[in-house]
Amino acid sequence: DMRLFLTTPTPRRAGIVQCYIKRNRSGTNKLFPEYSVFMKEGDRFMMCSKKRPNNKTSNYLISMGENDLKRNSHNYIGKLRANFAGTEFQIFDAGWNPKGFEPDLEEEGAQMRHELGAIIYTSNVLGSRGPRKMQVSIPAVDEAADGADKPRGMGDILSKMKAHEYGAGTSLVYMINKPPRWNDQVGAYVLNFNGRVTMASVKNFQLVQPDDQDAILLQFGRVGKDEFTMDFQWPMTPFQAFAITLSSFDSKIACD
């Protein structure tokens, strides 16, 4: 079941899942590129996404159907939504907006949407020359005996992040981008991507928990003009990992 695979935390025993993203900017996709994720092993298609036109803020629809980017499709699995400034993002599943949710919808099997993550970008003191700062939170995982872990359905993750209600003992996993180190030889800030990223970009990042900066939970980086790698591990779902990387494409802060 592809939907279950994409929305379930990657099993711990699976280790790091290696994927790549292709960006299509040809023809009608010039203004709104289409992003597609593939599993590195076997080049298997997983998800695609595109910014929806005519929205006041950035809104990316995420689908598990190749070239199927319709909101009412059975392939729709969720979306990433930005604030007006492009500095804060929220990840939602495919449920209904609470504002339009009515009791008779529930009888038809529809569900109200859940927030599955939030991302906040802040500029660094160096302006655009150095790396921007990211803070990311996703719901903590309820570890099931049968291995079918589920992210907890949460209220407003973004509000909780702003109120600093995250980290150990809370219901949120809190991550920051690993601070790059200055490299005199290159004359730039660098991260060690172990060969998985080959081109410099302010969009490249590695997400870690502040108290364990050796375990990289999600890394994203450029390897070609329109190709990027995306590697992630437990407790991320593939859907959450993709949505977080889409925010990096979209974030207005210090973008090249």
Side-chain angles (χ1 to χ4, degrees), residues 141-156:
V141 170
D142 286 326
E143 294 194 61
D146 61 0
D149 297 344
K150 277 246 119 2
R152 295 178 197 167
M154 291 286 298
D156 189 344

Side-chain angles (χ1 to χ4, degrees), residues 132 177 191 193 197 199-206 220-222 228 248:
R132 57 198 177 176
N177 61 314
L191 289 163
F193 286 94
V197 175
M199 292 178 79
S201 168
V202 295
K203 296 179 178 67
N204 297 351
F205 67 79
Q206 293 176 320
F220 165 75
R222 195 168 184 172
F228 306 81
S248 185

Side-chain angles (χ1 to χ4, degrees), residues 131-135 175-180 205-208:
R132 57 198 177 176
K133 289 182 176 171
M134 283 173 86
Q135 297 175 78
M175 295 162 277
I176 57 168
N177 61 314
K178 189 172 183 173
F205 67 79
Q206 293 176 320
L207 285 185
V208 294

Side-chain angles (χ1 to χ4, degrees), residues 81 96-102 112-113:
R81 188 182 73 194
W96 281 74
N97 185 329
K99 287 176 190 161
F101 195 76
E102 290 159 7
M112 216 154 36
R113 74 179 181 201

Side-chain angles (χ1 to χ4, degrees), residues 181-190 200:
R181 295 215 169 98
W182 179 261
N183 182 314
D184 279 336
Q185 286 173 303
V186 186
Y189 286 91
V190 295

Side-chain angles (χ1 to χ4, degrees), residues 5 22 47 49 59 70 72 77 86 88 171 183 233 239:
F5 167 70
K22 283 192 162 170
M47 293 168 279
S49 181
N59 199 311
K70 292 189 274 300
N72 56 1
I77 49 175
E88 296 172 359
S171 54
N183 182 314
Q233 61 175 317
F239 166 68

Side-chain angles (χ1 to χ4, degrees), residues 221-253:
R222 195 168 184 172
V223 291
K225 184 166 175 264
D226 288 301
E227 193 161 320
F228 306 81
T229 52
M230 177 181 98
D231 302 341
F232 60 94
Q233 61 175 317
W234 189 93
M236 289 248 176
T237 70
F239 166 68
Q240 286 168 326
F242 186 34
I244 294 165
T245 61
L246 286 170
S247 77
S248 185
F249 282 113
D250 195 78
S251 171
K252 305 295 184 288
I253 288 180

